Amino acid sequence: MKANSLLLCVTIMLGFQHVCFCQTNKPVLAAQATDHKFDATWQSLREYRVPEWFRNAKFGIWAHWGPQCQPEQGDWYARGMYEEGSDQYKWHVANYGHPSKAGFKEVINDWKAENWDPEKLVALYKRTGAQYFFAMANHHDNLDLWDSKYQSWNSVRVGPKKDIIAGWARAAKNNNLPFGLSIHASHAWMWYEPSQGSDKNGPFKGVPYDGKLTREDGKGTWWEGLDPQELYAQNHALSVGWQWDWGQGISVPSPEYCTKFYNRVIDLIDRFNPDLLYFDDTVLPLYPVSDVGLQIAAYYYNHNLATHNDQLNAVLFGKILNDEQKKCLVWDIERGAPEQIQPLAWQTCSCIGQWHYRRSVYEKNEYKSAADVIRMLIDIVSKNGNLLLNIPVRGDGTIDEKEVAILEDIAAWMTVNGESIFDTRPWDIFGEGPSAEASNPVKEQGFNEGNLKYTPNDVRFTRKGNILYASVMGAPSDKIFIKSLGKGKIRIRRIEMLGSAEKLLWKQTSNGLTIEKIKALPNNIATVFKIQTQ
């Protein structure tokens, strides 16, 4: 545990309780499970092993959905609407009013999720090929999307007045899909800081935004009895500058804030027993200024053991992990992939558009195509990874017809070629071709997606027993040459093309494998050859 001048936590063992004390000597954490295997230390968490079901699954779909989707203005709306002069600020003033009078809480009130049908959506995602489903439990906007015991600002009390997570959980169970939850609210403390500000120009110059409001200001309003400070978490001094990680001028959360975050997550785990848990944080929530993240990780693993007959089936994700931390959690890479096969299972989280629904992406046809998604998935799986793909949901709870068409195209390819994806493992090398040879390193959380363009000269490999799958990234117009499959490297007995009964003409030499020009390609996205080896 690293020390911080403003907050120093020391963990001690009291029987089977973990208690974190701060300089105020105020206990930060409530009692944890009384029967446990994992402790809140990296040394203990290194006993974690990724379950085989996750390694086999390869592909999940995510509903990154909450009140910030209601305006249809894209990512980080609840922050951007407080940034004077930004497009989201201008849109908000034009559609809701000035943020001193109509803050993000008004967007929450406007969000009704009136056409949401989780059963229909999750069934579509399963038909697309998803082997697990994720729902967002809260975002940096700090609204809990379940009947939260520890956060009054939740979707049962305000907005849709529905238990969103309960609805998603039922749909996942009914479709026999492992259920994941993503938790983003640890950063609300500093992410919402613009709500404390005011305009520097114009008629509202100096008038505080609604991040300064208190419970007393709500008398006679729709939010009477609620405290805006509980939503915006802004009863603290502003940070100096901006960065994502805690420290270096970022205002350090109070012990009370850490306590509340911990309790909200434990409540979520206890209620819904998620198979997967994702934190939108560097390493773990509030790390390293608090050990709350470590406490949650230990609790989650122990809870999963207790509810799965002492078999650990849980998957917990963290970002920007070092090699030792990758043994404790599953490394998540945002919108990107490593350059080589990884020794441990990992995951890419990505999206066909923006994380939150943005109408302009729809109007300008800026979604990733099914081909983009499938080629990305093939590359990820060849390197021992999984893909979690977000399909942006509109505020009313529906997805648009262009998104449906993309999912249908993915489903069609998966129906024929899914065996080259699911239940596979990496081969000796992940692939060959121009994209395999190019440099494209991961940057911080990831963010190297889309830098490389795939062509039919790019090939990726996966294996399943004595079957090797070679996926050509596109529609080859001539004969195919795969230099990695020469004599002396692999012994080939038979080759067939998935989705086609065409008899292939092929020849293997010491230089590689040549497959003669295909008469009729089964698809234009990725041609998969199933190679039986000796």
Side-chain angles (χ1 to χ4, degrees):
M1 174 61 61
K2 296 181 181 178
N4 183 284
S5 59
L6 297 179
L7 177 63
L8 177 62
C9 292
V10 180
T11 301
I12 64 174
M13 290 296 296
L14 300 176
F16 290 121
Q17 294 182 338
H18 297 87
V19 184
C20 180
F21 289 94
C22 300
Q23 286 183 337
T24 59
N25 217 28
K26 180 180 178 64
V28 170
L29 302 182
Q32 286 204 357
T34 57
D35 185 16
H36 68 280
K37 173 183 177 181
F38 291 93
D39 297 324
T41 64
W42 289 114
Q43 182 178 3
S44 178
L45 295 179
R46 276 199 293 269
E47 298 300 312
Y48 174 72
R49 298 294 181 269
V50 178
E52 286 298 295
W53 77 260
F54 178 75
R55 297 196 66 200
N56 291 334
K58 304 303 181 187
F59 181 51
I61 288 182
W62 189 4
H64 189 284
W65 180 53
Q68 289 179 88
C69 296
Q70 179 65 21
E72 299 187 353
Q73 295 300 304
D75 295 340
W76 283 26
Y77 181 89
R79 179 181 168 91
M81 57 155 284
Y82 293 106
E83 295 177 326
E84 183 182 7
S86 71
D87 289 342
Q88 289 174 330
Y89 169 93
K90 294 174 183 176
W91 190 92
H92 188 85
V93 169
N95 289 274
Y96 283 95
H98 191 264
S100 62
K101 298 180 178 180
F104 186 69
K105 65 185 185 305
E106 308 305 326
V107 177
I108 293 173
N109 188 47
D110 195 34
W111 179 46
K112 303 304 180 188
E114 63 272 20
N115 296 316
W116 176 51
D117 186 345
E119 294 286 345
K120 179 180 178 181
L121 287 173
V122 175
L124 172 60
Y125 299 154
K126 183 174 182 178
R127 185 161 56 81
T128 300
Q131 304 295 296
Y132 52 99
F133 170 73
F134 253 92
M136 186 173 72
N138 52 36
H139 199 253
H140 316 318
D141 59 29
N142 217 21
L143 182 76
D144 284 352
L145 303 182
W146 73 97
D147 190 11
S148 178
K149 292 197 305 186
Y150 298 99
Q151 173 65 313
S152 299
W153 291 86
N154 66 69
S155 64
V156 175
R157 185 166 180 175
V158 297
K161 298 190 176 177
K162 301 174 183 178
D163 193 322
I164 301 297
I165 298 305
W168 285 127
R170 284 191 299 270
K173 182 177 181 179
N174 291 341
N175 284 277
N176 197 30
L177 288 178
F179 183 50
L181 291 170
S182 68
I183 300 165
H184 310 245
S186 67
H187 276 88
W189 176 272
M190 44 85 100
W191 187 84
Y192 253 142
E193 285 185 353
S195 71
Q196 290 193 59
S198 62
D199 284 1
K200 297 180 180 178
N201 304 285
F204 288 92
K205 180 180 179 180
V207 179
Y209 299 149
D210 74 327
K212 290 287 191 180
L213 294 178
T214 65
R215 187 190 305 271
E216 290 70 28
D217 296 311
K219 292 179 180 179
T221 70
W222 68 264
W223 50 274
E224 183 172 359
L226 291 168
D227 186 357
Q229 290 304 310
E230 187 182 5
L231 176 67
Y232 298 130
Q234 287 309 298
N235 188 20
H236 68 265
L238 290 171
S239 301
V240 178
W242 162 261
Q243 67 166 18
W244 186 247
D245 295 335
W246 302 103
Q248 299 184 25
I250 299 300
S251 178
V252 176
S254 68
E256 293 79 9
Y257 182 87
C258 297
T259 300
K260 183 172 181 177
F261 179 81
Y262 170 86
N263 288 333
R264 288 160 71 184
V265 176
I266 299 305
D267 178 40
L268 194 64
I269 293 169
D270 288 345
R271 285 176 186 250
F272 299 106
N273 300 314
D275 302 288
L276 312 97
L277 206 59
Y278 167 108
F279 290 111
D280 191 8
D281 296 277
T282 299
V283 187
L284 285 169
L286 302 167
Y287 185 83
V289 297
S290 168
D291 72 345
V292 158
L294 286 167
Q295 297 282 0
I296 291 171
Y299 184 94
Y300 177 53
Y301 288 159
N302 291 327
H303 180 273
N304 188 266
L305 282 167
T307 54
H308 289 80
N309 298 316
D310 212 32
Q311 297 293 316
L312 186 55
N313 290 317
V315 185
L316 175 63
F317 300 93
K319 297 181 178 181
I320 315 183
L321 306 179
N322 63 35
D323 288 342
E324 289 303 304
Q325 291 163 346
K326 289 175 185 176
K327 299 174 184 177
C328 307
L329 321 169
V330 173
W331 183 28
D332 181 85
I333 301 176
E334 184 172 346
R335 291 188 183 270
E339 296 180 292
Q340 300 295 331
I341 296 172
Q342 297 300 297
L344 299 172
W346 58 279
Q347 177 180 264
T348 289
C349 61
S350 191
C351 183
I352 63 169
Q354 290 200 1
W355 294 114
H356 291 94
Y357 193 90
R358 187 177 182 91
R359 176 157 290 274
S360 64
V361 173
Y362 165 81
E363 293 172 341
K364 296 177 183 178
N365 294 314
E366 293 176 344
Y367 289 133
K368 288 182 175 70
S369 67
D372 293 332
V373 172
I374 289 166
R375 291 168 191 161
M376 180 169 63
L377 173 65
I378 291 170
D379 178 69
I380 289 166
V381 173
S382 74
K383 297 171 181 174
N384 204 26
N386 288 29
L387 170 61
L388 176 61
L389 182 71
N390 177 51
I391 306 298
V393 181
R394 293 180 287 205
D396 72 350
T398 63
I399 62 175
D400 64 55
E401 78 281 358
K402 294 178 182 179
E403 294 177 293
V404 173
I406 293 166
L407 291 169
E408 295 288 0
D409 287 345
I410 295 172
W413 188 90
M414 287 287 204
T415 299
V416 174
N417 300 284
E419 67 175 87
S420 68
I421 299 294
F422 307 122
D423 304 324
T424 64
R425 296 292 183 268
W427 189 49
D428 298 343
I429 60 172
F430 73 88
E432 67 176 55
S435 65
E437 298 167 3
S439 175
N440 187 31
V442 168
K443 302 173 183 178
E444 297 180 343
Q445 291 98 327
F447 304 122
N448 63 343
E449 175 185 284
N451 294 335
L452 304 177
K453 303 302 179 184
Y454 298 117
T455 74
N457 292 320
D458 291 300
V459 182
R460 295 294 184 268
F461 303 110
T462 55
R463 66 171 178 84
K464 190 184 297 180
N466 67 341
I467 301 296
L468 178 69
Y469 296 97
S471 298
V472 176
M473 303 288 229
S477 58
D478 204 343
K479 64 178 64 176
I480 299 163
F481 178 71
I482 307 176
K483 66 180 180 180
S484 304
L485 302 184
K487 287 183 177 178
K489 299 177 182 177
I490 186 172
R491 298 178 66 183
I492 298 174
R493 293 179 55 194
R494 184 168 178 254
I495 303 177
E496 59 183 288
M497 183 168 51
L498 297 185
S500 173
E502 180 179 336
K503 182 175 175 60
L504 301 177
L505 299 176
W506 57 275
K507 182 178 181 180
Q508 186 184 29
T509 69
S510 59
N511 293 325
L513 170 68
T514 300
I515 302 173
E516 294 298 324
K517 183 178 178 180
I518 308 301
K519 294 178 182 177
L521 292 169
N523 69 82
N524 293 320
I525 293 176
T527 306
V528 182
F529 296 98
K530 183 177 182 179
I531 302 170
Q532 285 194 354
T533 66
Q534 294 179 333

